[in-house]
Amino acid sequence: MSKPVFRFAPSPNGHLHIGHALSALLNARAAVALDGRFLVRVEDIDQARCTAALEADMFEDLEWLGLPLDEPVLRQSNHFPDYRAALERLQDMGLIYPAYLSRADIRRFVQATEESGKSWPRDPDGAPLYPGDRAVLCEAELSDRMDSDAPFTLRLDMGKALARVGADLTWQEAGSEGKALFDPPEAVAAEAANWGDVVVARKDTPTSYHLAVVVDDARQGITDVLRGQDLYHATSVHRVLQELLGLPQPRYRHHRLILGPDARKLSKSNDDTSLRSLRESGLTLTELRRRIGL
Ligand code: GLU
């Protein structure tokens, strides 16, 4: 059997926090325990927010964590043509449409709908499903936006996509810690319809997180995706894209999240839990491991 390949895939759009440390250390530990490889992928498709300085800081943090990183490191900003090619395949299948509503348009529409006593569906992250341009804009306004240089996203028509791949997709979920690492995976039903028409690219960027992640997991030969529980439901979308693009499916493992004192997910904008500031205030690696329960 070929060796398992794990990856840690941070975005250098802020400093890594202790939740990232948990993810990276769990991946490294699993790779060692299963005699596998451990790769790093820099998920920097958001060129407005990801910077070279943050990326350099990120590698410093990873070095401090003492991870046995394998080569090569993949930087997503070097691979836009590959994402474009995947996007074009989806376009050729007739599954992609340009969508012109801004976040503010969607917010206003949902608010008005809810004020009139109707509910509006939300995706697993809590964002409203895309209502469709024509539910919100009149024809004149829509053609105005199309003819001008207005921003747009490219969305996957989830209904059509599911009709193509079948609605009974599953993914293989294996444990993420301790003994569970060796347990056989269990099939989990993918429920991608709950996401509605997800964004797969933008006017100026030929990919979104969802598209790039499946292309790169396949390119890097990732056999085991071990990441935070916050991405558990996104796996449904990833499975649909893998099926559409004929990509192999890795095993998935989703680990516990480290929550802040307010019981919310940690954020890169909160410097109190950044590895950098904790290190500067004298935290040792042993103390960090204890704090994150490793
Ligand atoms: N880049 C994502 C993040 O920083 C992780 C993606 C993944 O592990 O699939 O949250």
Side-chain angles (χ1 to χ4, degrees):
M1 222 175 74
S2 60
K3 286 188 171 208
V5 185
F6 287 80
R7 68 4 176 229
F8 174 57
S11 298
N13 55 11
H15 284 124
L16 298 187
H17 55 58
I18 56 177
H20 295 106
L22 174 67
S23 213
L25 289 166
L26 284 176
N27 269 286
R29 189 165 82 174
V32 170
L34 300 176
D35 189 26
R37 300 176 65 216
F38 176 37
L39 302 176
V40 168
R41 177 160 81 226
V42 182
E43 298 212 326
D44 60 348
I45 54 174
D46 182 350
Q47 292 279 278
R49 292 170 64 221
C50 296
T51 66
L54 284 169
E55 186 187 309
D57 289 353
M58 187 181 92
F59 279 109
E60 235 176 74
D61 289 342
L62 295 181
E63 204 178 315
W64 181 73
L65 287 173
L67 301 171
L69 294 180
D70 287 308
E71 297 286 330
V73 171
L74 187 146
R75 187 173 289 103
Q76 289 189 324
S77 56
N78 291 337
H79 293 277
F80 282 150
D82 304 320
Y83 310 132
R84 195 181 311 273
L87 176 66
E88 280 166 9
R89 285 187 57 198
L90 299 172
Q91 282 171 321
D92 289 347
M93 293 177 214
L95 300 177
I96 303 296
Y97 67 90
Y100 285 89
L101 298 183
S102 65
R103 284 209 184 94
D105 292 328
I106 301 172
R107 201 171 42 242
R108 271 194 301 271
F109 168 79
V110 172
Q111 197 177 350
T113 306
E114 291 178 340
E115 276 168 10
S116 76
K118 286 182 239 141
S119 63
W120 188 258
R122 302 281 201 282
D123 72 21
D125 282 348
L129 297 203
Y130 197 68
D133 292 349
R134 289 185 168 78
V136 178
L137 305 177
C138 64
E139 278 310 319
E141 192 162 351
L142 183 56
S143 32
D144 242 28
R145 290 194 193 187
M146 287 174 167
D147 296 343
S148 68
D149 209 19
F152 59 86
T153 55
L154 291 167
R155 289 182 178 264
L156 179 72
D157 184 324
M158 190 59 86
K160 279 193 198 164
L162 289 175
R164 198 168 169 125
V165 300
D168 52 359
L169 275 188
T170 57
W171 82 79
Q172 297 297 313
E173 177 76 22
S176 66
E177 293 191 52
K179 182 175 159 291
L181 266 185
F182 298 94
D183 289 343
E186 284 173 17
V188 177
E191 291 175 344
N194 293 345
W195 287 94
D197 296 349
V198 290
V199 173
V200 287
R202 296 173 195 281
K203 183 183 175 202
D204 300 313
T205 313
T207 185
S208 68
Y209 157 66
H210 294 308
L211 185 58
V213 84
V214 298
V215 168
D216 288 336
D217 282 338
R219 180 210 316 270
Q220 292 187 289
I222 303 299
T223 60
D224 291 78
V225 170
L226 168 45
R227 60 187 175 190
Q229 190 69 25
D230 51 335
L231 291 168
Y232 183 86
H233 292 290
T235 311
S236 296
V237 175
H238 302 165
R239 286 292 298 118
V240 171
L241 292 171
Q242 285 158 354
E243 288 299 299
L244 291 170
L245 295 167
L247 302 173
Q249 55 168 316
R251 253 183 314 272
Y252 288 90
R253 304 166 189 272
H254 292 92
H255 64 71
R256 65 191 158 89
L257 296 181
I258 298 194
L259 301 178
D262 53 0
R264 294 169 65 134
K265 233 172 84 174
L266 296 179
S267 135
K268 285 203 183 101
S269 51
N270 181 355
D271 224 35
D272 293 354
T273 45
S274 85
L275 290 180
R276 215 174 169 70
S277 60
L278 289 170
R279 210 166 66 225
E280 278 161 8
S281 64
L283 186 85
T284 66
L285 188 50
T286 311
E287 285 162 348
L288 170 76
R289 282 180 170 276
R290 197 172 314 126
R291 178 160 168 184
I292 61 179
L294 281 183

